[in-house]
Amino acid sequence: MITVGIADDELLIRTGVRGVLDRATEIVVVGEAKDGPGAVDLVRTHRPRVLLLDAVMPGTDALAALRMIRRHSPVTRVVMLAAPAVGDLLLPALRAGAVGFLPKTGRAEELVNAVRVVAAGDAILSPAATRSLVDHVAGAEADRRDRASHRVRALTKREREVLVHVAKGMANAKIARVMCLSESSIKAHVSRMLAKLRCDNRVQAALIAHDAALLG
């Protein structure tokens, strides 16, 4: 079973998200919270595999809550829920350890798929979040590009190819099909690639790939 926590100040959002997830047989919602401190307490108590965390809650610093959650429960994978207008929080949230960024207006099946994907160890970004990353790359400072390029040079040609696919948001199974390799081989390449880049997760690696202009 995939255990999930929901943290959002709006009862309607929490109820709607729970209703969607309750229809998935392998997902169980273990708790809800209406603010950042409540989200931290939820994680301490239940250690959910996935936490859906509202990016903007009144009176709450979501990024501070995210950092505390990552400290108290590194196994909990945090997906930020946000309105399109908060794109400026994308990069700080990803750098703080979030593994996904989804709009609150998304379809039910997208939410369920996101929970499954991040629980399996992958990251997920909405199309709007991906566009924000592209904008970030366009404005990247020269020294950040240089640092990213230097880190990427430590990768083998195969690992760099895997990194490009990861940066495009592809899951291991799809990368395996594209590269005509086994999924276990891809997992091994991803692990070595993350270690060499000194990244905790695939999203952080994707940021480096974008900064290094590997996607053209």
Side-chain angles (χ1 to χ4, degrees), residues 44-89:
R44 283 173 171 167
T45 301
H46 298 287
R47 294 285 195 265
R49 177 61 177 160
V50 178
L51 177 70
L52 302 175
L53 178 65
D54 185 10
V56 179
M57 289 183 282
T60 297
D61 184 341
L63 291 178
L66 170 59
R67 294 186 185 100
M68 291 185 66
I69 288 164
R70 293 293 299 148
R71 285 200 300 269
H72 289 296
S73 182
V75 298
T76 297
R77 300 176 63 77
V78 181
V79 176
M80 308 298 287
L81 299 178
V86 295
D88 57 326
L89 292 177

Side-chain angles (χ1 to χ4, degrees), residues 5-75:
I6 305 168
D8 195 288
D9 66 296
E10 296 186 41
L11 176 60
L12 185 60
I13 295 293
R14 298 199 307 271
T15 302
V17 170
R18 177 185 278 271
V20 168
L21 298 181
D22 281 345
R23 292 197 290 271
T25 57
E26 81 280 25
I27 297 174
V28 57
V29 177
V30 296
E32 298 180 18
K34 64 179 181 180
D35 54 27
V40 175
D41 289 340
L42 186 161
V43 168
R44 283 173 171 167
T45 301
H46 298 287
R47 294 285 195 265
R49 177 61 177 160
V50 178
L51 177 70
L52 302 175
L53 178 65
D54 185 10
V56 179
M57 289 183 282
T60 297
D61 184 341
L63 291 178
L66 170 59
R67 294 186 185 100
M68 291 185 66
I69 288 164
R70 293 293 299 148
R71 285 200 300 269
H72 289 296
S73 182
V75 298

